[in-house]
């Protein structure tokens, strides 16, 4: 005890000698039979200096600065799942909220309120003090100097050049800006049609629908004028276009027809699709079921019809089969024909030598090709999956450890897992051809009477020659973007661990292993609401169904996928309100 007191006295005396400012500290000591306590009160700077002087610890080094562009599915998924406070994260986006975009068609007709599907980003990251949000729009990316140029969303000097622009430096940049609607340079689309990409778009469409009915109810209009005003045209037979057309038909039939009895038999919904069928990315059973239902419901479905021009009063279309052109008068047009790249991303692509591509190209780890410290997720990027045949020689050499020129089955088995990880098309090819393992692929590729457990480079190339035929780009969906955000967050969470102990596949063109496993998309299924409380569902395992039960499954899945309990409760209560009281038709 006396030795402890002597040591404490010496250390205290030395600390006072080395740091005169410690005289500001008030030390209150209490001793009891059970033990003792120490209370030290000081200003922050003095106390911090004492801790470092006593413990011999230097101030923590500067954190790695991570800038995230965008608060959509990819960006929000990354922020929500990031748990590594060794990064200093700054989120830059013109939207200070996350929107559950699959429910936007429901917002257009009042089934769901706009505020029910949005969650403020600051609330999502409120418990993570290493994440900060800046409401601004990125207008330029300078990869060479590691900075982005931004401008405020609501700038008083927005018309006076770049006076309000500011720069944000980064060590790592994550581009998750999403995409913009694709007009295919069709004249008049930007000026006369509505898009359905943002919450504001859905609110505008909702007001426009009610406005059309109010205008058509005026007494000084002719029958032809009423038909034109109440003709709603949807361009694009993808999931968004089909769901909006179905939701609009239900809105008109179930609600607006009762509120506007004088024009109840006039409204018409037309769906234009340039291809042969709607919902071409779904199973054919769903496609045919949707087309049959639309015909029964009275929705005018025109496939093989390409839009050539949109004017203030009509849409000019051309029939692909006959070449015949015609004009369709309309009251409102909703354009839903796919996505295009945002201008700031296009400029960045030119800067890094990807100007001839449609979207940003990344590797299997979501890094932008040619930029080691920039990642791209979601609709603004696509993975450029490396082909097996590009690396076939180095794979063979890596597996042939004895440099014999022939590969034994046992040698190949040692690199099978790495091949399947690095090249996901191998697994897809095996499943398509109902093969259990890669070894079966090697044997099947040889004539039955010549099958051998040994093969040279030419036989090896022949065995894997058709594997790359299974390569395809991932769809631009919320499901893909959310999985990419989760994957990248997990990589950042394990950055230090995997730097010391890499978990990825072998580097076939270099030594060692990749730090992380490459991104692998897992398809969980897809839905297509068709109106009338019916939906098409396509789930893993070739489970396909169209009907009422699929719609109720859609309700449960979309409720469970909400980002917070607040939005979950709001969305469910909106559905209940719609069942009880109908949809709201107020133009607000």
């Amino acid at each position: 005890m006396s030795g402890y007191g002597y040591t404490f006295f010496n250390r205290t005396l030395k600390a006072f000698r080395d740091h005169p400012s410690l005289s500001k500290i008030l030390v209150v000591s209490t001793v009891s039979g059970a033990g003792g306590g120490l209370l030290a009160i000081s200003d922050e700077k003095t106390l911090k200096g004492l801790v470092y002087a006593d413990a011999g610890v230097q101030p923590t080094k500067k954190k790695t600065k991570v800038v995230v562009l965008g608060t959509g599915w990819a960006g929000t998924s990354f922020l929500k799942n990031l748990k590594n406070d060794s990064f200093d994260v700054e989120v830059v986006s013109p939207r200070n909220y996350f929107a559950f975009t699959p429910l936007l068609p429901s917002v257009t007709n009042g089934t769901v309120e706009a505020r029910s599907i949005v969650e403020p980003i600051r609330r999502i990251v409120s418990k993570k003090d290493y994440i900060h949000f800046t409401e601004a729009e990125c207008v330029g990316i300078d990869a060479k100097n590691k900075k982005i140029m931004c401008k405020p969303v609501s700038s008083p000097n927005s018309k006076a050049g770049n006076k309000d622009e500011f720069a944000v430096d980064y060590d790592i940049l994550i581009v998750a800006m999403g995409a913009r609607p694709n007009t295919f340079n069709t004249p008049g689309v930007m000026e006369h049609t509505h898009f359905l990409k943002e919450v504001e778009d859905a609110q505008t469409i909702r007001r426009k629908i009610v406005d059309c009915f109010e205008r058509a109810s005026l007494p000084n209009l002719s029958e032809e004028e009423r038909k034109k005003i109440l003709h709603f045209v949807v361009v694009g037979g993808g999931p968004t276009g089909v769901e909006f057309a179905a939701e609009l038909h239900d809105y008109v039939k179930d609600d607006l027809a009762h509120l506007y009895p004088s024009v109840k038999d006039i409204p018409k919904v037309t769906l234009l699709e340039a291809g042969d069928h709607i919902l071409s990315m779904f199973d054919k059973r769903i496609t045919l079921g949707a087309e049959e239902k639309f015909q029964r419901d009275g929705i005018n479905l025109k496939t093989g019809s390409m839009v050539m021009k949109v004017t203030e009063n009509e849409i000019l279309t051309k029939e692909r089969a006959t070449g015949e052109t015609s004009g369709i008068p309309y009251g409102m047009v909703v354009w839903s024909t796919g996505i295009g790249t945002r201008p700031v991303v296009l400029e960045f692509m030119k800067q890094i030598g990807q100007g001839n591509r449609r979207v940003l190209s990344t590797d299997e780890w979501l890094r932008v090709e040619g930029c080691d410290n920039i990642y791209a997720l979601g609709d603004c990027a696509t993975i450029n999956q490396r082909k097996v045949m590009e690396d076939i020689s180095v794979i063979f050499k890596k597996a042939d450890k004895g440099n014999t020129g022939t590969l034994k089955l046992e040698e190949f088995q040692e690199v099978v897992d790495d091949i399947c990880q690095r090249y996901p098309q191998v697994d897809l090819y095996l499943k398509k051809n109902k093969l259990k393992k890669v070894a079966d692929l090697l044997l099947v590729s040889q004539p039955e009477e010549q099958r051998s457990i040994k093969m040279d480079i030419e036989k090896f190339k022949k065995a894997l020659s058709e594997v790359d035929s299974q390569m395809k780009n991932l769809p631009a969906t919320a499901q893909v973007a959310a999985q990419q955000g989760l994957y990248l967050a997990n990589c950042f969470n394990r950055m230090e661990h995997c730097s010391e102990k890499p978990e990825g596949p072998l580097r076939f063109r270099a030594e060692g292993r990749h730090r992380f496993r490459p991104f692998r998309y897992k398809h969980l299924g897809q839905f297509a609401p068709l109106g009338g409380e019916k939906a098409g569902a396509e789930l893993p395992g070739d489970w396909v169904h169209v009907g009422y039960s699929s719609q109720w499954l859609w309700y449960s899945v979309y409720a469970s996928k909400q980002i917070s309990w607040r939005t979950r409760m709001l969305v469910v209560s909106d559905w209940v309100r719609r069942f009880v009281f109908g949809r709201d038709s107020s133009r607000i």
Side-chain angles (χ1 to χ4, degrees):
M1 184 70 180
S2 61
Y4 172 81
Y6 180 77
T7 303
F8 176 79
F9 176 80
N10 277 348
R11 294 175 69 183
T12 304
L13 186 62
K14 185 177 183 300
F16 269 90
R17 240 190 341 256
D18 295 342
H19 302 276
S21 60
L22 294 183
S23 58
K24 297 179 182 179
I25 296 180
L26 170 65
V27 180
V28 181
S29 178
T30 61
V31 180
S32 67
L38 176 67
L39 172 65
I41 304 174
S42 172
D43 62 283
E44 183 182 359
K45 293 181 180 178
T46 304
L47 183 58
K48 190 179 294 185
L50 172 63
V51 172
Y52 288 140
D54 185 53
V57 179
Q58 297 300 318
T60 55
K61 64 179 181 180
K62 183 182 178 182
K63 290 184 176 182
T64 300
K65 178 68 174 294
V66 179
V67 173
V68 180
L69 298 180
T71 52
W73 281 92
T76 302
S77 178
F78 172 81
L79 297 172
K80 189 177 180 182
N81 292 284
L82 183 66
K83 300 174 183 176
N84 190 343
D85 60 2
S86 64
F87 296 103
D88 178 20
V89 182
E90 182 169 357
V91 187
V92 178
S93 174
R95 280 190 340 194
N96 71 342
Y97 59 86
F98 164 79
F100 193 87
T101 50
L103 285 179
L104 284 180
S106 297
V107 175
T108 63
N109 58 25
T111 298
V112 174
E113 292 298 325
R115 289 195 176 275
S116 299
I117 66 169
V118 301
E119 185 74 11
I121 284 296
R122 294 181 187 275
R123 179 177 290 172
I124 294 173
V125 301
S126 60
K127 296 182 179 179
K128 300 179 179 181
D129 57 3
Y130 50 92
I131 300 179
H132 313 282
F133 176 76
T134 300
E135 187 180 63
E137 181 181 359
C138 175
V139 294
I141 301 174
D142 185 352
K144 183 178 180 181
N145 296 308
K146 293 186 178 182
K147 63 173 62 178
I148 60 171
M149 297 306 299
C150 307
K151 68 175 182 180
V153 176
S154 301
S155 172
N157 298 313
S158 57
K159 296 182 180 180
N162 58 357
K163 183 178 179 180
D164 291 333
E165 285 189 6
F166 60 92
V168 177
D169 296 323
Y170 66 83
D171 297 312
I172 298 175
L173 179 65
I174 299 175
V175 183
M177 304 175 69
R180 62 175 178 174
N182 193 350
T183 67
F184 298 98
N185 295 320
T186 306
V189 171
M190 294 297 295
E191 295 84 0
H192 305 298
T193 70
H194 298 272
F195 303 116
L196 191 50
K197 284 286 292 178
E198 306 288 347
V199 174
E200 294 82 2
D201 297 334
Q203 292 174 313
T204 301
I205 292 172
R206 179 176 176 177
R207 288 190 292 268
K208 181 67 175 179
I209 294 171
V210 177
D211 178 63
C212 286
F213 273 84
E214 293 292 352
R215 285 168 50 210
S217 300
L218 295 175
N220 59 339
L221 297 179
S222 66
E223 192 71 10
E224 287 300 316
E225 288 175 318
R226 288 192 175 94
K227 287 182 179 180
K228 173 183 176 296
I229 293 172
L230 293 179
H231 188 194
F232 304 97
V233 180
V234 183
V235 182
T240 302
V242 168
E243 183 177 353
F244 172 72
E247 291 267 14
L248 178 58
H249 172 268
D250 287 354
Y251 187 29
V252 171
K253 175 186 174 184
D254 299 339
D255 299 275
L256 296 179
H258 301 294
L259 298 175
Y260 301 89
S262 62
V263 296
K264 65 178 182 179
D265 297 324
I266 298 178
K268 181 180 179 181
V269 179
T270 296
L271 178 60
L272 302 178
E273 166 57 36
D276 295 327
H277 297 280
I278 60 174
L279 299 176
S280 58
M281 69 292 300
F282 280 76
D283 186 276
K284 290 183 178 180
R285 289 167 284 183
I286 293 179
T287 296
L288 295 177
E291 292 175 349
E292 291 173 1
K293 186 180 185 305
F294 277 15
Q295 291 176 359
R296 292 195 304 269
D297 291 344
I299 296 176
N300 183 28
L301 177 60
K302 297 184 67 175
T303 56
S305 184
M306 299 181 294
V307 176
M308 307 303 294
K309 184 179 180 180
V310 182
T311 68
E312 187 177 359
N313 297 308
E314 65 178 5
I315 300 177
L316 300 178
T317 64
K318 179 180 180 180
E319 296 301 317
R320 203 180 64 210
T322 62
E324 181 183 352
T325 60
S326 60
I328 303 175
Y330 68 86
M332 184 187 77
V333 178
V334 173
W335 188 272
S336 178
T337 60
I339 57 174
T341 307
R342 295 187 184 276
V344 63
V345 178
L346 284 173
E347 288 300 318
F348 174 56
M349 290 167 61
K350 293 177 183 178
Q351 181 187 141
I352 60 175
Q354 293 190 21
N356 59 338
R357 300 188 64 90
R358 185 177 61 86
V359 292
L360 273 171
S361 177
T362 73
D363 63 15
E364 297 88 337
W365 290 267
L366 308 183
R367 290 175 304 206
V368 174
E369 292 185 333
C371 304
D372 290 338
N373 62 336
I374 300 179
Y375 297 83
L377 325 175
D379 295 351
C380 67
T382 187
I383 296 175
N384 186 17
Q385 176 61 52
R386 193 166 182 84
K387 296 180 179 179
V388 173
M389 295 308 293
E390 292 177 348
D391 297 332
I392 193 72
S393 298
V394 292
I395 293 174
F396 186 89
K397 186 177 180 180
K398 202 83 169 183
D400 183 20
K401 295 182 178 179
N403 294 322
T404 60
T406 58
L407 194 61
K408 296 180 180 179
L409 188 59
E410 294 79 11
E411 293 176 317
F412 181 71
Q413 291 286 6
E414 294 180 11
V415 296
V416 163
D417 290 341
D418 297 295
I419 292 175
C420 291
Q421 278 187 43
R422 185 68 177 81
Y423 309 97
Q425 60 265 39
V426 175
D427 266 347
L428 294 174
Y429 186 83
L430 293 178
K431 291 177 181 178
K432 181 180 179 181
N433 291 275
K434 299 179 180 179
L435 299 173
K436 293 183 178 180
K437 48 189 178 181
V438 181
D440 295 337
L441 174 62
L442 299 182
L443 295 176
V444 169
S445 65
Q446 304 177 53
E448 190 170 347
E449 65 278 2
Q450 299 178 8
R451 287 182 180 175
S452 170
I453 60 173
K454 291 185 178 182
M455 61 175 56
D456 57 18
I457 183 66
E458 294 304 320
K459 290 182 179 179
F460 190 62
K461 287 181 179 179
K462 182 180 179 182
L464 299 176
S465 60
E466 297 183 10
V467 167
D468 290 328
S469 64
Q470 297 303 305
M471 291 177 59
K472 56 183 179 181
N473 291 331
L474 296 177
T477 63
Q479 188 176 165
V480 172
Q483 289 188 28
Q484 289 179 338
L486 173 61
Y487 164 82
L488 193 61
N490 289 334
C491 290
F492 276 55
N493 292 338
R494 299 173 57 79
M495 189 76 75
E496 294 82 2
H497 173 78
C498 293
S499 295
E500 298 176 0
K501 298 179 180 179
E503 297 178 347
L506 282 172
R507 295 179 182 269
F508 289 111
R509 291 185 173 273
E511 296 300 319
R513 290 185 170 274
H514 290 278
R515 185 163 47 176
F516 305 109
R517 295 174 182 269
F519 171 74
R520 183 71 64 90
Y521 170 63
K522 183 178 181 181
H523 186 60
L524 303 177
Q526 53 189 350
F527 291 93
L530 304 175
E533 294 303 315
K534 289 185 178 181
E538 183 178 346
L539 302 179
D542 196 33
W543 191 92
V544 176
H545 185 264
V546 178
Y548 296 107
S549 58
S550 297
Q551 179 66 33
W552 285 97
L553 181 60
W554 178 87
Y555 282 131
S556 61
V557 170
Y558 275 37
S560 66
K561 291 295 183 180
Q562 295 299 313
I563 197 167
S564 70
W565 275 103
R566 185 190 74 87
T567 55
R568 189 171 295 121
M569 294 299 294
L570 287 173
V571 167
V572 172
S573 64
D574 285 344
W575 286 336
V576 173
R577 172 186 51 78
R578 196 268 295 178
F579 274 112
V580 177
F581 301 107
R583 302 171 181 87
D584 181 27
S585 61
S586 302
R587 188 174 62 179
I588 57 175

